[in-house]
Amino acid sequence: MSIAGEVGWKTIKIKGTHQESVSEVIATEFPLTLMLDGYEFATIVCSPGELEDLVVGFLASEGVIRTVAEIKDIQVDLYTGFAHIALHKPVQPDQFDHSSRLIGSCCGKSRQFYFKNDARVAKTITSRLEVTVHQCMQLMKKLMDSSPEFKRTGGVHNASLATSTEVLLTRSDIGRHNALDKIFGAMLRDKISAKEKLVVFSGRISSEVLLKTSKMGIGIILSKSAVTDLAVKLADELGITVIGFVRDDRMNIYTRPDRVHGIHPHLQTDL
């Protein structure tokens, strides 16, 4: 069985004085419950695609695993909405300070324990990757052009793993955190190194997004959206270049501008 990432829905569309009944394509929300060594670990509300990537990336981001080799088996059952994960070294239900919980598509405070886990997994980045202003603009364009789901529904976030010139892989999800976890999972499963890589992202760069970027070992994140104050403070501490509002011919560099060519030297000293 496969579950579509989008469905048709009868809709009344109004524009000005014009009204019509149409079938509109909307994004699917799919609850996936993670059973870790027989214990209910979390339920993630997500888009029903690349679910094994999501499971692996989520477990790595939460500090449960460091490599995919620690996973003995993953079975995703789309009929029941359960993912059964067996580890080579089974965990106890209280080992990671987790109770069973709901990870909504907007995330946020539902991840009440992430600060403790992040202290164990987040790391300072020493990436030597550099980009130009033009490359940032081109990579954002490639991200948006590579997402047919967004064009059809307008209801998903996108994340890409890229070099300075090329998008290597893209994942979409109704949850912006899930899109990043899918990228992280794909990196671990396919043994893709974080060296000389960056993340291109459609969603807001919050503290949690920034910490996920750190856990992935990525030194540059580009987003077409805004940033938060805690995200840029953490980026400054962890050595990550944060670039937001990458749209058309503009962008804002918040931290580590030394990795971006094309910036006037006197402006770099202002950060």
Side-chain angles (χ1 to χ4, degrees):
M1 177 185 177
S2 64
I3 297 177
E6 53 198 46
V7 296
W9 193 265
K10 197 81 168 183
T11 307
I12 297 174
K13 187 167 287 189
I14 300 173
K15 184 177 181 180
T17 59
H18 179 72
Q19 302 180 10
E20 62 177 330
S21 178
V22 299
S23 179
E24 182 179 2
V25 177
I26 58 177
T28 300
E29 282 191 275
F30 177 73
L32 180 69
T33 297
L34 276 59
M35 301 296 296
L36 184 60
D37 291 321
Y39 298 106
E40 184 177 339
F41 184 68
T43 296
I44 307 172
V45 180
C46 58
S47 296
E50 294 93 17
L51 292 180
E52 289 195 10
D53 286 347
L54 175 61
V55 170
V56 172
F58 178 77
L59 293 178
S61 185
E62 294 287 298
V64 177
I65 63 169
R66 290 186 180 274
T67 70
V68 74
E70 296 174 51
I71 300 175
K72 185 177 182 180
D73 186 49
I74 297 177
Q75 295 292 331
V76 178
D77 188 338
L78 288 172
Y79 285 95
T80 61
F82 280 84
H84 298 273
I85 307 106
L87 302 181
H88 285 290
K89 185 179 179 181
V91 300
Q92 299 303 312
D94 60 347
Q95 185 173 343
F96 293 94
D97 296 318
H98 283 88
S99 57
S100 62
R101 58 210 167 99
L102 173 68
I103 308 300
S105 57
C106 293
C107 298
K109 291 184 179 179
S110 59
R111 297 193 178 196
Q112 66 266 41
F113 295 107
Y114 79 86
F115 278 117
K116 181 176 285 189
N117 292 332
D118 290 333
R120 188 169 54 230
V121 184
K123 52 192 173 185
T124 301
I125 304 302
T126 58
S127 172
R128 296 183 178 179
L129 176 65
E130 296 179 345
V131 293
T132 67
V133 172
H134 178 72
Q135 286 170 339
C136 292
M137 306 293 185
Q138 289 300 305
L139 288 171
M140 184 57 64
K141 184 178 185 303
K142 288 178 181 179
L143 171 69
M144 302 314 296
D145 289 346
S146 68
S147 178
E149 295 91 349
F150 179 80
K151 291 179 180 178
R152 287 193 293 266
T153 69
V156 296
H157 285 286
N158 308 301
S160 287
L161 183 71
T163 65
S164 60
T165 59
E166 180 184 4
V167 169
L168 303 177
L169 61 96
T170 299
R171 296 290 184 266
S172 298
D173 200 279
I174 57 168
R176 57 197 172 94
H177 303 80
N178 297 341
L180 282 175
D181 281 339
K182 287 179 178 180
I183 291 290
F184 196 6
M187 290 173 66
L188 293 171
R189 294 179 70 203
D190 296 334
K191 296 180 172 59
I192 301 172
S193 170
K195 187 177 180 180
E196 305 298 310
K197 308 294 191 311
L198 57 85
V199 165
V200 192
F201 192 46
S202 68
R204 182 178 69 254
I205 302 178
S206 63
S207 58
E208 191 172 2
V209 165
L210 192 282
L211 287 165
K212 283 181 181 292
T213 305
S214 164
K215 295 169 189 176
M216 294 163 68
I218 299 294
I220 302 175
I221 180 169
L222 318 174
S223 175
K224 74 179 184 70
S225 298
V227 305
T228 69
D229 68 328
L230 184 52
V232 295
K233 289 174 184 175
L234 287 168
D236 198 42
E237 293 175 7
L238 295 171
I240 298 174
T241 299
V242 171
I243 305 173
F245 292 113
V246 185
R247 303 174 184 176
D248 302 320
D249 63 345
R250 64 188 180 94
M251 66 187 210
N252 295 351
I253 305 173
Y254 295 92
T255 56
R256 292 296 303 269
D258 53 293
R259 292 195 180 104
V260 185
H261 290 289
I263 306 301
H264 294 299
H266 75 276
L267 290 176
Q268 292 201 26
T269 61
D270 289 342
L271 294 187

